Amino acid sequence: MAKAESKKEFKEKSLYYNRYFSLRYLTAGYFFVNFWWLIALAMGGSEVVLLPLALLLLCVPAIWEQKQKFDQREDNELPQTKHYFFFQVAINIFLGICYFTPAFSYFYPFITTSAFSIVFMLLLLGLAIGVWSLHHIIQIEKNEDRFLGDMKLMANKSNQKVIFLDIDGTLCDYNGTIPDSAKQAIWLARSNNHLVFLNTGRSKGEMDADLLNIGFDGMICGNGNFVEVNQKVILHQPLPETVEVEIVNWLKEHHSEFFLESNNGLFASEHFREKGLPVVRAYVQGKGQTDVSHMTVDTAFPAMQYGESIFRDDVNKISFILTDEVQPEIVKKQFPHLEFGTWGGRDEQPLFGDLRPKGITKSNAIKYLLQYLNLSLRDTIAFGDAQVDIPMFELCGIGVCMENGGPNAKKNADLVTDAVMDNGLYHAFEKLSLI
């Protein structure tokens, strides 16, 4: 760990030291030009040798000052470098004026008269570079140099995390209540340049305004068959209509009530409101609710619609009540060409099953999204509370389970945080230095 931190610190120092890159090389360039001028004058025995010697003596502390900046990232003052460039600019102006007088040859006795114009042009170039360098030094001292802004952006991006949040039992409780601390954690994380995505079994049609108004960078819905980034749909794989009809007819034949999940809402079978009530209450009770007398199918699924056609071409997945006739092994055998999952109450007891296109999972959707954004799995953090979230925990860099989550989910997480309504999301964001 210490070695990794040391390597990271060295990388950050090197990154910020590059803001002095141009000054370092320009100072070195002036040093060698002045050194060459000094040697040429000394060989001719000229008294003017004191001028390049003075420039070289001023150059040395400037070079040393710049070298020290590698370990002094917070100190951006450059007094020695500024003095040196100011003096260099003054000398270039003085020599440029001398070009128009006979005294010019006194400073360059080793140059033929025909080459004076070339020297003059080089003096003007040196003057322009010196003026630019002084301007750059002032920008650095005021922290207004463009390079610093680029470095901060790069540093932020290198520390950027991609966060995936389950909704029910993670972001909100099973009454749909989102704690204010969770909203604040998301706002702060996004302001710190982290990306926050929903990753849920819900379809987009189940997202209410209170949830969407928090603000996210995108969402994965339907356990992976719908992916949206910055309001742009990058993946949508609903059930083919022929497959949807096949599932609906089979469920009706086996007396299992169900509902269709689409981005346009939820569409229930004829008797789901009545047959679903005890199952929904068992589901909520299993998630820690003690008093479920107030719970109805309509409060559990406010987006549910009744009396609509159950044969549709916009269905993401189909959820159904597990019965004696409709058990997981039976469903898997009947629909081997589809992805099957269960969700339920206490200790992950299966109460509902769902069917969706083959290969559609939360984990596969994360991979697809990261490939689209050209981001790495090692920078991902997944939050969940249920069995269905375990593959997401195993895939991402860090898996976080809520205290109110199931025992298997907690066992497979890297970190267990407090329960949803005990500010668990906020506390985990703090612990992981996201906020």
Side-chain angles (χ1 to χ4, degrees):
M1 179 65 75
K3 186 176 180 181
E5 289 296 321
S6 177
K7 187 176 180 181
K8 180 181 178 182
E9 183 181 2
F10 181 82
K11 184 178 179 181
E12 288 184 356
K13 283 182 177 181
S14 300
L15 192 67
Y16 278 87
Y17 189 46
N18 282 333
R19 68 191 298 205
Y20 306 103
F21 181 88
S22 57
L23 292 176
R24 287 156 52 204
Y25 283 94
L26 289 174
T27 304
Y30 277 119
F31 181 89
F32 286 110
V33 169
N34 288 324
F35 184 74
W36 173 80
W37 186 24
L38 172 71
I39 296 298
L41 288 173
M43 290 176 65
S46 173
E47 296 178 358
V48 184
V49 72
L50 295 175
L51 194 54
L53 180 61
L55 287 169
L56 288 173
L57 291 175
L58 282 171
C59 194
V60 171
I63 292 172
W64 178 254
E65 178 181 65
Q66 293 163 26
K67 181 180 181 297
Q68 295 297 101
K69 293 303 173 186
F70 186 81
D71 293 310
Q72 300 173 357
R73 198 173 84 186
E74 301 303 320
D75 180 13
N76 57 345
E77 297 293 323
L78 294 161
Q80 300 297 332
T81 305
K82 189 191 294 182
H83 293 155
Y84 167 70
F85 276 104
F86 184 82
F87 191 63
Q88 184 70 62
V89 165
I91 293 298
N92 277 46
I93 292 173
F94 171 73
L95 293 173
I97 294 171
C98 288
Y99 171 74
F100 299 100
T101 71
F104 193 68
S105 60
Y106 181 66
F107 296 99
Y108 300 99
F110 50 87
I111 300 291
T112 61
T113 307
S114 60
F116 278 3
S117 59
I118 296 175
V119 176
F120 179 68
M121 294 301 294
L122 291 174
L123 286 170
L124 290 181
L125 177 61
L127 175 63
I129 291 173
V131 170
W132 179 87
S133 299
L134 285 170
H135 174 69
H136 188 51
I137 291 168
I138 292 171
Q139 284 187 312
I140 288 175
E141 291 182 338
K142 291 182 177 180
N143 285 326
E144 293 177 355
D145 54 308
R146 188 180 67 179
F147 198 81
L148 176 63
D150 293 342
M151 288 302 97
K152 284 182 176 179
L153 187 62
M154 289 174 64
N156 283 340
K157 192 166 185 180
S158 68
N159 294 322
Q160 183 183 64
K161 299 299 180 184
V162 188
I163 303 160
F164 295 98
L165 298 177
D166 174 50
I167 297 178
D168 300 293
T170 303
L171 178 56
C172 66
D173 67 8
Y174 283 89
N175 287 318
T177 304
I178 305 172
D180 289 338
S181 63
K183 297 178 183 179
Q184 186 179 15
I186 293 167
W187 295 332
L188 290 173
R190 294 187 72 207
S191 70
N192 287 339
N193 199 45
H194 301 300
L195 302 177
V196 183
F197 294 89
L198 294 172
N199 195 350
T200 176
R202 294 191 191 187
S203 289
K204 190 175 181 181
E206 296 177 75
M207 306 292 186
D208 57 43
D210 186 41
L211 176 64
L212 294 177
N213 286 340
I214 296 173
F216 298 93
D217 294 286
M219 62 185 73
I220 295 171
C221 300
N223 280 336
N225 67 5
F226 178 86
V227 183
E228 184 178 277
V229 178
N230 293 324
Q231 299 185 336
K232 178 183 178 181
V233 178
I234 63 170
L235 174 68
H236 187 201
Q237 191 175 342
L239 285 165
E241 190 172 1
T242 54
V243 175
E244 189 266 357
V245 171
E246 177 190 3
I247 298 169
V248 167
N249 285 334
W250 187 84
L251 290 171
K252 290 174 71 177
E253 289 171 12
H254 290 78
H255 312 101
S256 173
E257 297 301 319
F258 58 88
F259 60 94
L260 315 176
E261 302 183 41
S262 88
N263 292 342
N264 297 307
L266 306 181
F267 304 93
S269 58
E270 184 178 0
H271 301 293
F272 185 80
R273 181 180 271 137
E274 308 90 69
K275 296 289 182 67
L277 180 60
V279 186
V280 166
R281 287 182 173 176
Y283 172 67
V284 175
Q285 193 170 37
K287 296 299 183 180
Q289 298 279 111
T290 51
D291 180 13
V292 296
S293 59
H294 66 287
M295 182 60 65
T296 68
V297 171
D298 293 337
T299 55
F301 302 105
M304 193 74 76
Q305 299 179 45
Y306 299 90
E308 299 290 333
S309 173
I310 54 173
F311 298 106
R312 308 177 61 88
D313 61 1
D314 62 347
V315 177
N316 294 326
K317 64 189 178 83
I318 300 176
S319 289
F320 47 90
I321 299 171
L322 294 174
T323 66
D324 291 339
E325 288 186 70
V326 180
Q327 284 294 301
E329 293 306 317
I330 297 173
V331 178
K332 288 178 187 178
K333 186 175 180 180
Q334 179 67 30
F335 300 102
H337 54 295
L338 297 174
E339 201 75 42
F340 170 73
T342 63
W343 44 289
R346 190 179 305 278
D347 297 334
E348 309 293 352
Q349 175 194 2
L351 296 173
F352 290 93
D354 66 57
L355 288 166
R356 54 192 184 277
K358 197 71 174 176
I360 292 299
T361 65
K362 286 185 174 185
S363 296
N364 286 342
I366 288 174
K367 293 177 186 176
Y368 189 90
L369 184 150
L370 293 175
Q371 184 178 19
Y372 175 80
L373 294 175
N374 194 28
L375 296 173
S376 171
L377 267 171
R378 69 173 177 268
D379 296 319
T380 56
I381 305 173
F383 288 79
D385 72 307
Q387 184 92 16
V388 71
D389 298 314
I390 293 175
M392 185 166 68
F393 293 166
E394 294 173 342
L395 176 72
C396 291
I398 299 173
V400 183
C401 187
M402 314 305 288
E403 178 58 42
N404 52 271
N408 286 340
K410 287 193 277 192
K411 181 180 177 181
N412 285 275
D414 300 297
L415 171 67
V416 177
T417 186
D418 298 321
V420 180
M421 300 311 291
D422 292 331
N423 306 316
L425 207 63
Y426 190 95
H427 292 159
F429 275 38
E430 277 188 321
K431 190 164 188 176
L432 295 169
S433 300
L434 299 170
I435 56 177

